[in-house]
Amino acid sequence: MKTTKVGLVGFGTIGTGVARLLIEQQERISRRTGQCVELVRIADTDVTRPRNVTLPPGVLTTDYREILNDPEISLVVQLIGGTGIERTIMLEMLAAGKNIVTANKALLATHGQEIFEAARQHGCSVAFEAAVGGGIPIIASLSESLAANSFESIHAILNGTCNFILSNMEEEGSDYASTLAEAQRLGYAEANPAMDVTGADTAQKLAILSHIAFGVSCDWQEIPRLGIETVDAVDFRYAKLLGYSIKLLAIAQRLRGEGGNGDSLALSVSPTLVSRQSPLSDVRGAFNAVSVMGDAVGHSFYYGLGAGEMPTASAVVGDVIDTIVGRTRLTFDALNLWSPEKQPEEGIHPAAPETISGRFYLRVTVEDRVGVMAEVAKLLGAHGISIASLIQEENHLAGSNNVPLIIITHETTEGAVLRALEEINRLSCVCGETVRMRIYG
């Protein structure tokens, strides 16, 4: 039986899971590839920390060049995150003629064109199912199973840390700070959770999905985004009252052009009020979900663990198998991803953020006095924003003269809301920044 030798760069949580599958399930993987798949080298800066896997002698090294310079290793699984040395290592591996399997969404979202051009130049392939959605096979679904479709929209929960925090805030009635601390204690959140809670991680994943589904190349840092730091326990109370849950939602929505104008793609990442009628509202804990609308298939829904050792390792090893049997090569060549020659589907282009329309939830903290509601409503009206519903409860907090004013708008634009809030936040009766969230469903 032919043997394919594999190198692994990065031996953290996911790397450990990948090693376990490749070693403990070698017979299963051999049946599915028709080859003996052998993990021969693992490179990591820390080779002394105990891992939950038994390795053959001599496999571990601190020098990735032992993988790079080994001509018998034809496939490299790269599981280190970031865009610095990680980029250098990947480019060196491709230049050495080695196929790549990776879970590094930041590298693809930031340097996708350079990475894929290098792969094409050296006759290699790059597989990255685990970069988005952990164990959910969303990359393969969009690029292969649903390839007959023109996509209308993607609405997705793509960050398990944020979903865990928001789910617990909703279920326990706890505040953001204490829930984040609990998430860190349980290992769901990093010591520095900024990439997750600011929406940056989700924006990187959305940029990748948008390129695959719509052919749109965009800088993930230019995707409009809000993090979950401003969400308060009181928002969940009002969301429930109005028939919604709150999720950090990544949205890619096709906007049909009129009068001969091309279609545009509305992209955003923000805390969103999600209707209880949507299956996205029931996604709890560290789970992820992706809702896709295609013109032929209609609505399809993908749900599963978006992070964690074995779910993500499952996606990585699936890519290893596809690369060995040749499926990755076929898809890689056909999709021509991150290529200067690749044109967006039907001329579609990213929409200007200020023109994107929708309904909004606004929580304005105001002084509890006569005329405040009229002042706020007047400024909304001046920017063409119509109020669909409004809630102002009595002040039950001793020693406080402030109350939340909850406003649900009719359809309007992001630009109109931002301009109105800039003026509203300057009112003497308004305390602090107004919280705004989109509404879905």
Side-chain angles (χ1 to χ4, degrees), residues 296-361:
V297 73
H299 177 246
S300 55
F301 190 78
Y302 306 85
Y303 170 84
L305 283 169
E309 178 180 326
M310 298 315 295
T312 308
S314 168
V316 170
V317 176
D319 275 346
V320 169
I321 292 170
D322 281 352
T323 300
I324 291 170
V325 301
R327 285 191 290 266
T328 297
R329 178 82 251 177
L330 293 172
T331 304
F332 184 86
D333 291 340
L335 292 179
N336 201 27
L337 295 174
W338 283 288
S339 166
E341 292 79 31
K342 184 177 179 62
Q343 296 299 314
E345 181 190 337
E346 301 171 6
I348 193 170
H349 59 276
E354 65 272 10
T355 66
I356 299 172
S357 63
R359 297 166 62 230
F360 291 84
Y361 163 99

Side-chain angles (χ1 to χ4, degrees), residues 205-273:
K205 295 171 181 175
L206 180 61
I208 293 171
L209 293 183
S210 298
H211 186 67
I212 294 169
F214 301 96
V216 170
S217 294
C218 64
D219 183 344
W220 69 267
Q221 297 182 79
E222 294 181 0
I223 295 176
R225 73 178 190 269
L226 288 172
I228 65 172
E229 309 98 313
T230 61
V231 180
D232 189 83
V234 69
D235 294 311
F236 288 97
R237 184 163 67 85
Y238 287 114
K240 182 178 181 180
L241 181 66
L242 294 163
Y244 296 93
S245 183
I246 299 175
K247 303 294 179 185
L248 182 70
L249 210 60
I251 300 174
Q253 177 74 53
R254 181 191 293 271
L255 306 177
R256 294 294 179 181
E258 298 179 357
N261 295 323
D263 294 349
S264 59
L265 188 67
L267 297 168
S268 66
V269 172
S270 67
T272 303
L273 269 69

Side-chain angles (χ1 to χ4, degrees), residues 407-436:
I407 297 169
I408 302 297
T409 74
H410 283 294
E411 194 88 5
T412 185
T413 65
E414 180 91 17
V417 170
L418 290 176
R419 288 189 294 272
L421 292 186
E422 187 176 354
E423 295 184 26
I424 288 171
N425 289 336
R426 289 201 300 261
L427 290 174
S428 61
C429 62
V430 173
C431 309
E433 294 291 312
T434 296
V435 172
R436 66 181 170 93

